[in-house]
Amino acid sequence: MTTPQQALVRYAARNNAEWCAAMCRAHGVASEFGGEAWVAAGRTPSYYPDAVTLEPGADREALVARVDTAAPGAAVKDSFADLDLAAAGFHVLFDAQWIHRPAGAAAPRTAPEPAGLAWEVAGDRDALRDWALAWDDGGGDASLFRDGLLADPETFVISGRSAGGRVVAGAVATRSERVVGVSNVFAGGGLGPDAAWSTVLSALDRLFPALPVVGYEQGDDLTAAVRHGFEPAGALRVWLRDG
C-alpha cells in the first residue's frame, strides 16, 4: 500500500521530470517517459539529469541501458535514493530532500517578514533574459534558459523585482496535475534565501492556490525552505558518471 508520503515523492519526482523534459525541449533534446523513469535521448543541458526515476525500486540495468553513457557526464536523479549505480561507473554527486508545502499553508511565525518585492511571470524574451542574468549572477550560464520555455504552458518563470525594477529574486514553477514544483530559487542584491522564498511563495499562492508546492533542497537552502512552511518528504540522490 502506498503511503501519503510515498505518493508525495512520486508526484514530486514526476513533476521534476516534467520540468527536465521542458528544459530539454527548449534545447532541442528529445526525451521519453517510461513506467519507471524519464530518460533523455542525448546529453541534457548543464545541471540537468539524463534520467529521473519515477518509481521506487527501478530496474538498475534497464535504466542504465536507456541512458547515453557514450560521452562523459551522464547523470541520474535517483528519486527514492534506493539505487546503487556504482557498478555502472557512477558516483554520488549529492544527496538532498524532497520538500512539500500544503496548498494555502501560511509561513511559520519564525519565518522573516516578506521582502516586499513585486513579482511577475516572465512573458517575453527580454523579461526572461533579465531573470536569467540575475539567476546566473555572472556565472556564464544565463543562456541555459532559452526562449522556448516561454511557449511551455506549464512553465512559469517568476521574477521578484526591486522598487527600481531590477530582478533580484526568482524561481521557476512547473505545474502538474496534482502539484506545482519550484526550482532554481535564488536571491541576489544582498538578499538571502528568505527573501526569495517570501516572494516566490506569494506568487505561487496567487497563481496556484489549490496546489501543494514541491521541490527539493539541501543544506542551508533546505533549512530556509522549512522556515517557510515546507516539510521534508523523502530522500533523493543524484549520480554522475565521469567516463
Side-chain angles (χ1 to χ4, degrees), residues 124-143:
D124 57 44
R125 62 177 57 187
D126 290 336
L128 179 61
R129 181 66 175 170
D130 287 347
W131 183 96
L133 288 170
W135 168 86
D136 183 57
D137 193 27
D141 291 314
S143 61

Side-chain angles (χ1 to χ4, degrees), residues 7 24 59 114 118 151 178 182 202 206 220 235:
C24 284
D59 185 309
R178 294 182 174 89
V182 63
S202 176
R206 295 287 188 91
D220 291 343

Side-chain angles (χ1 to χ4, degrees), residues 20 42 54 60 77 132 134 151 155 169 181 186 203 222 243:
C20 293
L54 304 175
R60 179 182 60 190
K77 183 170 290 176
T155 298
F186 73 92
L222 174 61

Side-chain angles (χ1 to χ4, degrees), residues 5 7-13 15-16 79 96-102 179-185 197 200-201 204 212-236:
Q5 185 164 347
L8 269 177
V9 173
R10 281 186 168 94
Y11 299 154
N15 176 275
N16 186 257
S79 300
Q97 280 282 328
W98 293 110
I99 55 175
H100 164 255
R101 185 177 188 266
V179 296
V180 58
V182 63
S183 62
N184 297 281
V185 179
W197 278 119
V200 170
L201 290 174
L204 295 179
V213 183
V214 296
Y216 70 90
E217 297 290 355
Q218 57 178 318
D220 291 343
D221 293 328
L222 174 61
T223 302
V226 170
R227 283 199 299 270
H228 287 267
F230 285 92
E231 295 181 357
L236 68 95

Side-chain angles (χ1 to χ4, degrees), residues 3-31:
T3 68
Q5 185 164 347
Q6 289 171 330
L8 269 177
V9 173
R10 281 186 168 94
Y11 299 154
R14 175 78 187 200
N15 176 275
N16 186 257
E18 289 170 358
W19 162 232
C20 293
M23 177 61 83
C24 284
R25 286 194 298 272
H27 284 255
V29 178
S31 66

